[in-house]
Amino acid sequence: MHDPLYVALILLASAVAVVVMFRSLSMPAILGYLLVGTLVGPNALGLVAATEDQRYLAEFGVVFLMFSVGLEFSLPQLNAMRRTVFLFGGAQVGLVIAVFVALAMSLGLSWRGGLVVGGVIAMSSTAIVSKMLAERSQLHSPHGRQIMGVLLFQDLAVIPLLVLVPAMGLSGTAIAGAVVMALLKAAVVLAIVLFVGQRLMRPLFNLVARQKSGELFVLFVLLVTLGLAWVTEQAGLSLALGAFLAGMLISETEYRFQVEQDIKPFRDVLLGLFFVTVGMMLDLGLVLRELVAVLALFAALMAGKFALIAALSRAFGATPGTALRVGLALAQAGEFGFVLLSLTSAAGFVPERFLQVLLAAMILSMLATPFLIQASDRIVMRLSRSEWMLRSLALHRVAVESIEAERHVIILGYGRNGQRLARLLAAEGVRYVALDLDPERVREAAAAGDTVVFADSARREALIAAGIARAAAVVITFADANAALRVLAHVHELNAHVPVVVRARDEADIERLGAAGASEVVPEAFESGVMLASHTLVWLGMPLSRVMRRVAQVREEHYALLRGLFRGESDEPGADAAPARLHSVSLDAQAHALGRALAELRLGAAQVRAVRRRGVRMNLTASDAGPLQPGDVVVLLGQPDALAAAEDRLLRG
C-alpha cells in the first residue's frame, strides 16, 4: 500500500515503539530506526514499500547532520587538534581505502569497486560513538580526544568521497576529467560561499534577529541550509556539501548555539527517517541465505579496523590502553558509510549480492558497538599489562591526595560547579578531594594548589582511593543523570552511610536519582526559577528580609533536608522564626522501639521525617521502615517539648 498517511502512521508507530525499547536499554536510537526499516520494509513484513520520494526525503536527514557537523567546525579547535585530525585521521581513512584497492586488484576485480568499498568501510559512527563517550564523561579523556579527532576527519573525508563515487562509473579518462571538474566546481563554490557568504551571513542574521520572531528565525535557518544545499547540487556536487558549508558560515556568528537548538528537531527526525530507509535496503532473505558470509565479513570488518586503528594510535604516541580503547570505539561502520553505499548501489559497479552482505555486516557492527564500548575497560585490562600499572599510578595519585583526609568531601567533576563548591569548602576549612577527567583542567588547577586529580569517578577503585570509606559527603557536580546513577551504585556499595548530593538538569530526574540513593537532588531548573523570582521581588521593592523568608519557605517545601534545622549550642535564641527543628535519635540494642512499627509508638506532635538504616541506599519513610532495628536513626521534626517526649518514647517507652 502506498497511501502516504498509512505509510506515515506505520513508520511513526513502529519507530516510537522500537525507540522507546532501545532508550530503556540505554542503546542509541539509531539502531532502533535501522531495526524498524528492516522489519517494515519490502524485504521483510512488506508493510511499507521503499520509494524514490522516501529516499529523497530521508537524504535531508544527512543534509542536516552535515549542517550540524559544519556548526561544530571551528578553525581554532581544528588547528589545536591538527596532528590527530589530519595525520591520524588521514592515515586511517587512506590505509583502509588502500587495503581494499589492493585486495580488489589482487582478486582480479576493478580498483573502482575496491576504492568505494574501502571508503564505505573507513567510516565510523559519529552519532553512536560521540553519544556514548558523552554519556560516560570520556569526551576529554586521552582516548576520547583521539576518537573525536578521527571522527572529525572522517566527516570531512566524506565530502570528496561524495564527489568521487558518482564519477567512478565513467571510463578511465572520463573519471579524471569528471573528478577534476568536480574539484574545480567545489573550489569555486567553496571560495564564493566562504568569501561572499561570510560577509552576508552576519548582517542577514542580524536583520532577521531584530524582528524578534522565532518562526522567522527558523525559516531563515532552513532557507540558508537548503539553499546552499541546492546551490551545490546544481553545481554537480552533493546536497551534504552545501549543508556543511552553511553550518561553517553560521558557526562564525554569535547565533550558532540558537541555530543548533532550532535545527535539532529537523535533524533528528529526518536522520531517523534516513536510517529507516537504510534498514529497508536490507534483504533479510538474502542475508539468511548468506549468513556465514555476513558473519565472516562482520568479524573481518571489526577485527581489521580494530587492529589498524589501535596500531595507528600507538604509532601516534598513545599508551597501549588508550590505543585499544580507540580501536574498539572506531571499529564499526558509520552513517556516512550508508550514504556512500547507496551511491555505490546506484552506480552498479559492485555486485548487489556483495552490497547486501556488506550492508548486513555494517548494521551488525553498529549494533555491537554500544556493548563493546561499555565493556572496553574490562577488555583493555585483559589485553594490556601496562594498563594495570598506569591505573595503579593514577590511583596512587588519588590516594596520596586523600591519605590524610578524614571526614572530607569528595567532589566528582571539577567544572564550574565543582570549583565553586571547592572554594566555599576551602573558605570554611573543610577538606575535599576532587576527581575530574579533563587533563588540562586538572593540570592547571593542581598547579594552582587545588586538591584535584585525574581519575574516572565512575570507577570503584577511584572512589576507594579517594577515601570513600572515610568521607563525610560526596557531591556529584555533573548533570548527566545516567552517569550519576552508575556513580551512586558504586558509592552506596562502598559506603552505604555517606550522604550524596547530586546535581540534576531538571526535576524529571529527581525521582530516579532519589530511588538510586541520592540524599538530595539539586535541579538546576528549580534553583534558577527561585533565584529569578527572588531578584524580581527585590526589584519590585519587596523588603529583602521578606524575600529571603519566602525563598527559604519554597526551598523547605522542595528539599527534605531543609525542612527544619538541627539545633546546636551556638544557635541564638529566636534566630529562626519557626520553632520547629530537626532531631536525630539513634536506637541502641536496649531501645524500647525495637521490633515495633512507628505507627504503633504514638510519638505525639513530633513528625518522623525519615529513618536512616544501615545497608539501605536511601532514607526510609515512616510507612516503609517497618519494624525498627538496632542501629536505626529516626529523624524527627517538631518543637522542643514534642521532640523530647518522642525521644523518650522511642528509647524508654
Side-chain angles (χ1 to χ4, degrees), residues 243-263:
F244 176 78
L245 295 175
M248 274 185 57
L249 291 177
I250 296 174
S251 71
E252 301 297 326
T253 72
E254 61 270 29
Y255 302 102
R256 168 189 166 185
F257 297 104
Q258 180 63 41
V259 169
E260 191 171 15
Q261 289 300 313
D262 289 339
I263 214 70

Side-chain angles (χ1 to χ4, degrees), residues 228-240:
L228 282 177
W230 179 81
V231 167
T232 54
E233 186 184 42
Q234 296 304 306
L237 305 172
S238 69
L239 291 169

Side-chain angles (χ1 to χ4, degrees), residues 262-281:
D262 289 339
I263 214 70
K264 192 174 186 292
F266 299 98
R267 182 196 68 193
D268 291 347
V269 171
L270 291 172
L271 190 60
L273 181 58
F274 167 74
F275 283 110
V276 169
T277 59
V278 169
M280 288 182 183
M281 294 167 57

Side-chain angles (χ1 to χ4, degrees), residues 238-482:
S238 69
L239 291 169
L241 175 59
F244 176 78
L245 295 175
M248 274 185 57
L249 291 177
I250 296 174
S251 71
E252 301 297 326
T253 72
E254 61 270 29
Y255 302 102
R256 168 189 166 185
F257 297 104
Q258 180 63 41
V259 169
E260 191 171 15
Q261 289 300 313
D262 289 339
I263 214 70
K264 192 174 186 292
F266 299 98
R267 182 196 68 193
D268 291 347
V269 171
L270 291 172
L271 190 60
L273 181 58
F274 167 74
F275 283 110
V276 169
T277 59
V278 169
M280 288 182 183
M281 294 167 57
L282 192 63
D283 186 341
L284 285 178
L286 188 147
V287 170
L288 291 174
R289 291 193 300 273
E290 302 287 346
L291 186 59
V292 174
V294 170
L295 294 176
L297 185 57
F298 161 70
L301 186 156
M302 296 290 286
K305 283 187 72 175
F306 164 73
L308 175 64
I309 293 172
L312 283 172
S313 180
R314 282 288 288 149
F316 280 87
T319 64
T322 296
L324 290 172
R325 288 186 176 90
V326 174
L328 288 169
L330 296 175
Q332 81 292 137
E335 47 273 1
F336 287 122
F338 292 127
V339 180
L340 296 171
L341 194 66
S342 62
L343 293 176
T344 304
S345 178
F349 47 81
V350 176
E352 186 64 28
R353 192 182 193 86
F354 175 76
L355 290 182
Q356 281 293 321
V357 172
L358 177 58
L359 177 64
M362 291 168 66
I363 292 175
L364 279 179
S365 72
M366 295 178 75
L367 287 168
T369 295
F371 303 104
L372 274 178
I373 294 179
Q374 288 172 355
S376 58
D377 286 339
R378 293 192 298 273
I379 295 172
V380 170
M381 295 295 283
R382 285 182 176 274
L383 296 180
S384 175
R385 294 179 181 177
S386 63
E387 185 70 11
W388 286 98
M389 181 62 69
L390 291 173
R391 177 139 341 156
S392 298
L393 290 172
L395 294 178
H396 175 71
R397 286 191 288 271
V398 179
V400 166
E401 294 291 348
S402 66
I403 192 68
E404 297 179 358
E406 189 77 29
R407 302 290 298 165
H408 59 295
V409 176
I410 299 177
I411 302 173
L412 305 181
Y414 207 61
R416 288 173 295 179
N417 290 290
Q419 291 172 45
R420 292 186 184 118
L421 172 61
R423 286 165 191 160
L424 287 172
L425 293 174
E428 294 296 327
V430 178
R431 296 197 63 170
Y432 69 89
V433 175
L435 311 183
D436 196 87
L437 270 177
D438 188 324
E440 184 64 19
R441 180 188 295 152
V442 169
R443 185 186 64 79
E444 292 194 358
D450 293 2
T451 312
V452 56
V453 289
F454 180 85
D456 185 353
S457 56
R459 290 178 176 164
R460 292 177 75 258
E461 56 267 32
L463 296 171
I464 293 171
I468 187 70
R470 308 185 304 276
V474 176
V475 184
I476 301 175
T477 68
F478 44 81
D480 185 335
N482 292 324

Side-chain angles (χ1 to χ4, degrees), residues 519-533:
S519 305
E520 195 65 85
V521 181
V522 181
E524 292 179 347
F526 173 80
E527 285 298 328
S528 298
V530 169
M531 294 311 298
L532 284 170

Side-chain angles (χ1 to χ4, degrees), residues 79-130:
N79 185 54
M81 297 175 62
R82 60 187 180 275
R83 186 170 182 269
T84 300
V85 174
F86 293 109
L87 295 181
F88 185 3
Q92 183 263 324
V93 173
L95 283 174
V96 171
I97 292 176
V99 165
F100 277 89
V101 169
L103 183 62
M105 295 180 69
S106 66
L107 296 174
L109 304 175
S110 169
W111 63 269
R112 296 179 179 88
L115 189 148
V116 295
V117 171
V120 168
I121 291 179
M123 300 296 114
S124 301
S125 178
T126 302
I128 294 176
V129 176
S130 60

Side-chain angles (χ1 to χ4, degrees), residues 160-180:
L161 287 171
L162 289 174
V163 173
L164 186 62
V165 171
M168 297 300 295
L170 303 175
S171 62
T173 55
I175 288 177
V179 170
V180 169

